[in-house]
Amino acid sequence: MTTRNGRAAADDTVAAVVRQWQTVRPDIDTGPMEVIGRINRCAALLQQAEDAPLRRAGLTRAEFDLLGALRRTGHELTPGDLARETFSSGAAVTKRLKQLQERGLVDRRGDTRDRRVSHLSLTDAGRDLVDALLPDQLAYEKTVLSGLGGAGQGQLSVLLGELLGQLEGRPGGPRA
């Protein structure tokens, strides 16, 4: 079976929604819904799974992203830096950092020139946890993507990279 735009019809939740829309509104092009709906559904399902290795370590994806940012940059960051690195709000970063500090994974050092600024770094325990979790997390993600095969993963990565570039407003992308 193919859709009106010539693409092969998928048999998933989004396909069912698209078929319903095509029944009640055959005059509209559901092509964008077929892509955006699937991206949103995949993101929701991945968030529900909450990444098995991280969950076993008692971390959320957002907490791991903060620890990972501190590890991969290799230097101290401010809470504002971490918010930019992880695409999070300042309030969310502050809450997560408090929890990570209480667990002994992050150190906070005040700025000598400006008391309002703090500098964050991983403790040895934080660095060891990230280093231990990263291979397991990547293996988990590899398993999640395994049904696509190498070529499919490469194509998806390129296409999502192009979409992300457009959404981030890089040159060549559409402007809102």
Side-chain angles (χ1 to χ4, degrees):
M1 181 176 151
T2 59
T3 61
R4 283 183 299 185
N5 57 23
R7 290 191 291 263
D11 188 22
D12 59 30
T13 305
V14 173
V17 169
V18 166
R19 284 192 300 274
Q20 290 170 338
W21 276 116
Q22 289 174 343
T23 299
V24 298
R25 288 294 311 270
D27 58 312
I28 61 171
D29 175 14
T30 57
M33 184 183 298
E34 295 174 40
V35 175
I36 302 298
R38 286 189 175 98
I39 290 171
N40 287 336
R41 181 77 176 138
C42 286
L45 289 170
L46 287 168
Q47 278 195 322
Q48 279 179 359
E50 278 218 14
D51 305 305
L54 302 181
R55 191 174 58 246
R56 283 193 299 272
L59 290 174
T60 65
R61 167 58 83 161
E63 290 169 335
F64 184 72
D65 287 347
L66 290 176
L67 296 173
L70 288 166
R71 180 67 172 125
R72 66 183 155 76
T73 59
H75 56 81
E76 291 181 331
L77 297 172
T78 66
D81 295 334
L82 278 171
R84 283 185 294 282
E85 284 286 331
T86 60
F87 311 105
S88 301
S89 71
V93 167
T94 298
K95 178 182 174 186
R96 291 176 193 131
L97 285 172
K98 184 175 188 278
Q99 294 166 341
L100 294 170
Q101 272 187 273
E102 289 171 359
R103 291 182 61 187
L105 302 173
V106 172
D107 272 333
R108 182 184 300 260
R109 178 183 64 79
D111 190 284
T112 56
R113 292 176 300 204
D114 186 344
R115 292 188 350 219
R116 297 169 297 174
V117 176
S118 60
H119 300 276
L120 303 151
S121 61
L122 289 176
T123 62
D124 289 342
R127 187 186 64 251
D128 292 347
L129 180 62
V130 171
D131 287 352
L133 279 175
L134 186 59
D136 291 341
Q137 182 61 26
L138 290 173
Y140 169 78
E141 292 173 2
K142 185 176 183 176
T143 300
V144 168
L145 295 171
S146 65
L148 295 176
Q153 290 177 39
Q155 290 172 321
L156 182 59
S157 178
V158 167
L159 292 172
L160 289 173
E162 290 174 8
L163 177 60
L164 183 59
Q166 290 178 15
L167 294 172
E168 289 179 340
R170 293 188 187 136
R175 300 279 190 250

